[in-house]
Amino acid sequence: MNNLWQAEAPANIALIKYMGKLPGNIATNPSLSFSNINFKTEVKLELRCEDKKDIWMPWEDSGDLLSEKESDRFLQHLGFIKNHYKFNGFFIVRSRNNFPSGCGLASSASSFAALTMAAAQAISSLKQTPPPPVKELASLSRHGSGSSCRSFFMPWGFWDGVDSGPISFPGIEINHFVVTVSSSKKDISSTEAHKTVRTSDLFVGRERRAEKRLKELMSSMSTGDWRLCYNLVWADFWDMHALFETSNPSFGYISDDSMFVLRVVRSYWEKHNDGPLVTMDAGPNVHLLFRRDQTLHQNELLNFFREKYLVLG
Ligand code: PMV
């Protein structure tokens, strides 16, 4: 009998951000993201017959380690999935990322999505039941990490409240890169950020602003108004970071290097009236999204950043 199951899931970067939530990781505002399988988490589950608890172990040959808090959270989510499908067995869980985690590259989204997929695969094969539909998995995964529900949909995913799904923008193909100005773990987790932003005066109105931008972004993606897409995506990540900075206590992720990269990209747009979409997650690194036909802009900007930083993509 097979006793090993494996799944992988992409990280996703939000162009309209999810920030602020209700219990059960129900988003207080709608969001839209791009999933990139070049940034992925793999999870392997092995059925464990002798012991009475799930354990997390590093993937063989991988240097990836989770802190006790992180592995507890991961195993708690596995417990939630097992409970949902009324499964009583135990697993050894191994996971690895092919990119740095905890620094604003959305590793919790890919990790929780991959764990949910692997657990559902294992349980349906052990119970000999049909594999659950993707939307059901996305919804379960949301309980572990909210933004992970969008990692089930490639390349574009939307999420509103409890509902997540795919969305398509025909004719727009994206090359996504991250200018990695730091790969150190961030001090404030996104879980803490979601709680603290409620203390910001700017939190009132966040839902309305995100909804309005999302509508405008979907329409400008469809009409091909790339400049408007850039303005909206730029405004939305600043909106999220302004919530961080104006919270009580105030906190933030934007470093001098992040600012340098942002200013270079903004000047590039001013000079060429064209360029990539730019966004930042809860971390100092800067995400650039080029259309496939923007090869010249892509080469010029990335070659410039590569002289100083690691560019992943
Ligand atoms: O999924 P969480 O709870 O780690 O929230 C992360 C939210 C952001 O990554 C900061 C923004 C987003 O929409 O992905």
Side-chain angles (χ1 to χ4, degrees):
M1 186 185 73
N2 179 24
N3 72 344
L4 200 63
W5 296 269
Q6 200 169 322
E8 64 177 38
N12 71 75
I13 179 67
L15 302 188
I16 301 295
K17 310 287 180 186
Y18 145 61
M19 190 37 63
K21 61 181 175 185
L22 299 168
N25 288 350
I26 298 174
T28 50
N29 71 264
S31 56
L32 172 79
S33 64
F34 178 79
S35 296
N36 184 350
I37 196 65
N38 293 338
F39 298 98
K40 67 177 179 187
T41 302
E42 292 169 282
V43 169
K44 196 154 59 172
L45 296 185
E46 189 180 336
L47 192 64
R48 190 176 152 85
C49 299
E50 60 286 9
D51 281 320
K52 292 277 168 269
K53 62 174 186 170
D54 299 311
I55 55 167
W56 181 87
M57 288 174 83
W59 191 288
E60 305 86 344
D61 306 332
S62 133
D64 285 10
L65 282 180
L66 295 184
S67 66
E68 201 178 320
K69 203 169 153 201
E70 287 168 329
S71 64
D72 284 353
R73 185 175 160 211
F74 215 43
L75 295 179
Q76 206 180 342
H77 182 63
L78 177 59
F80 167 79
I81 305 280
K82 292 196 308 183
N83 193 35
H84 180 86
Y85 290 115
K86 302 193 175 24
F87 178 77
N88 297 320
F90 297 94
F91 296 102
I92 298 174
V93 183
R94 291 189 173 84
S95 62
R96 68 173 172 192
N97 290 340
N98 69 348
F99 62 98
S101 62
C103 58
L105 270 66
S107 56
S108 78
S110 53
S111 318
F112 281 84
L115 175 62
T116 306
M117 286 176 194
Q121 240 182 59
I123 296 170
S124 58
S125 106
L126 288 161
K127 293 186 84 166
Q128 303 199 319
T129 51
V134 174
K135 279 216 170 202
E136 179 176 315
L137 293 182
S139 174
L140 287 172
S141 196
R142 193 195 77 235
H143 288 264
S145 146
S147 57
S148 71
C149 68
R150 296 184 312 234
S151 280
F152 287 78
F153 308 106
M154 295 267 288
W156 303 101
F158 81 88
W159 169 29
D160 193 4
V162 293
D163 187 29
S164 57
I167 183 159
S168 72
F169 298 112
I172 300 198
E173 294 202 57
I174 296 290
N175 292 337
H176 165 224
F177 299 91
V178 184
V179 184
T180 315
V181 301
S182 165
S183 48
S184 311
K185 291 238 181 203
K186 55 195 178 195
D187 296 332
I188 311 273
S189 68
S190 46
T191 307
E192 280 173 76
H194 283 291
K195 279 190 213 137
T196 316
V197 289
R198 291 186 166 271
T199 62
S200 162
D201 287 344
L202 303 180
F203 192 69
V204 179
R206 166 67 192 151
E207 185 182 348
R208 191 190 44 76
R209 295 193 300 277
E211 264 172 17
K212 182 166 179 284
R213 279 191 203 110
L214 179 62
K215 265 195 205 130
E216 287 174 2
L217 181 62
M218 302 222 295
S219 128
S220 51
M221 287 285 240
S222 305
T223 58
D225 187 343
W226 191 244
R227 169 97 214 187
L228 185 53
C229 294
Y230 160 74
N231 290 344
L232 293 162
V233 172
W234 177 276
D236 203 66
F237 91 74
W238 275 110
D239 191 337
M240 179 175 81
H241 283 264
L243 291 177
F244 301 154
E245 300 287 347
T246 54
S247 287
N248 186 7
S250 159
F251 62 102
Y253 303 92
I254 296 181
S255 67
D256 291 350
D257 284 299
S258 321
M259 276 315 294
F260 170 76
V261 174
L262 293 172
R263 290 205 169 108
V264 168
V265 179
R266 185 168 61 184
S267 308
Y268 193 91
W269 262 96
E270 278 161 13
K271 186 167 165 209
H272 299 271
N273 196 26
D274 200 2
L277 306 185
V278 191
T279 189
M280 293 180 67
D281 211 59
N285 298 312
V286 182
H287 295 247
L288 304 179
L289 292 90
F290 295 88
R291 292 190 325 267
R292 290 261 157 96
D293 58 288
Q294 290 183 303
T295 326
L296 284 178
H297 297 317
Q298 183 181 306
N299 289 345
E300 197 173 334
L301 270 170
L302 296 188
N303 286 342
F304 178 78
F305 288 131
R306 280 192 185 109
E307 294 199 356
K308 204 163 171 202
Y309 305 111
L310 174 69
V311 176
L312 300 172

